[in-house]
Amino acid sequence: MINKKMKGILFSFISSFLYALNVLVLKYFMKDISSNELLFLLYTGSTIGILLIILFNKQKISFVPKREEISFIFGTIICDILATLLITESLKFLNASIVSLLSVLEIAATIIISYIIFRNKINRNLIFSVIFVTFGGIILSINSALKVDFSMASILVILASFLWGLKNNLTAKMSNKNPLLLVFYTCFAVSIFNLLYIIKDSNIFMLIFNHWYLLIIGFFTYGLSILYFAYGTKFLGASKTAIIFSLSPIFSTILSIIIFNEKSNILFIISLILMIIGIRFTIYDNKKNN
């Protein structure tokens, strides 16, 4: 019988891998449709999939959140939408590699917010884990981002990282209540948000008819990924789940090598080793605290 801590680790790895698939989907399909159209389809598919899970769940789940759940759901949605806006705006002035480099701060932001606002303890193993994983992420992103100009655009990415860090902590709080409801409302809100972007210039019905398969893909790459992240935080907390989730770029790179025949380099190997060491500290800390 797998204990709760190991379940949390497993769920976090699954969430990370599913989200890595999302990168490949975006890379492959963005040449055919706009990013907002693609995100609308993916999040709509997530919304429909999670809705079906709720409807056919053995335990009856009310679609009306309880009073104590509203603030967590609302906060998560606001953080997600604002962070997406900030990242989108920053990409107008920065290349994607620099944005990816600065986004590594999400891990540190998650732990800082967890400690300062939510009063969660931080031990030595967790600190070591953050250091190794963060440096691993930096090395993975630094290939074409050797110079980081800390302009206003860079500050937008840093702010987005802290918003995601806050979102991770709110997800952890909601995971002890009703994670399915959280994922449903989050995906639904982001779907509507992207719909407002495309509704003037796109035929929504034809878009769905021509790319219906993206609804199914979205359910896995967004819906289930977010859901497993929430389940991971239920057993591990926001900080440790975020650390394991940070392996997503590694999974994306490996899948790109396999599917798109992209070449790896020594920086990828170094990054992989550092991240594995960081994850090892997280797992060791869980075993130590069992």
Side-chain angles (χ1 to χ4, degrees), residues 96-107:
S97 57
I98 293 179
V99 173
S100 178
L101 177 65
L102 293 172
S103 296
V104 174
L105 292 172
E106 178 187 343
I107 307 164

Side-chain angles (χ1 to χ4, degrees), residues 188-242:
F188 178 71
V190 178
S191 173
I192 296 299
F193 176 76
N194 283 282
L195 176 63
L196 296 177
Y197 262 88
I198 66 175
I199 196 167
K200 288 184 179 180
D201 303 316
S202 302
N203 185 325
I204 305 301
F205 295 104
M206 287 304 299
L207 179 67
I208 295 175
F209 180 79
N210 291 328
H211 302 283
W212 57 268
Y213 48 87
L214 287 173
L215 299 177
I216 300 173
I217 294 173
F219 169 63
F220 287 96
T221 60
Y222 279 117
L224 287 185
S225 176
I226 299 172
L227 184 61
Y228 276 116
F229 185 93
Y231 284 144
T233 62
K234 182 177 182 179
F235 299 118
L236 297 181
S239 300
K240 294 173 184 176
T241 303

Side-chain angles (χ1 to χ4, degrees), residues 2 12 16 36 47-48 61 93 121 128 155 161 163 165 171 188 197 199 224 249 260 266 281:
I2 302 175
S12 300
S16 178
N36 288 111
T47 304
I48 296 171
I61 300 175
F93 307 98
K121 295 180 180 180
F128 282 139
I155 295 174
S161 296
L163 284 169
T171 300
F188 178 71
Y197 262 88
I199 196 167
L224 287 185
F260 298 114
I266 188 63
F281 274 110

Side-chain angles (χ1 to χ4, degrees), residues 6-16 228-229 231-232 235:
M6 290 307 297
K7 280 184 179 180
I9 293 170
L10 178 61
F11 290 151
S12 300
F13 271 111
I14 293 174
S15 174
S16 178
Y228 276 116
F229 185 93
Y231 284 144
F235 299 118

Side-chain angles (χ1 to χ4, degrees), residues 2 5 41-42 85 104 106 170 180 193 196 236 254 272:
I2 302 175
K5 295 294 184 181
L41 290 169
L42 294 173
L85 283 173
V104 174
E106 178 187 343
L170 291 174
L180 276 170
F193 176 76
L196 296 177
L236 297 181
I254 293 173
L272 178 61

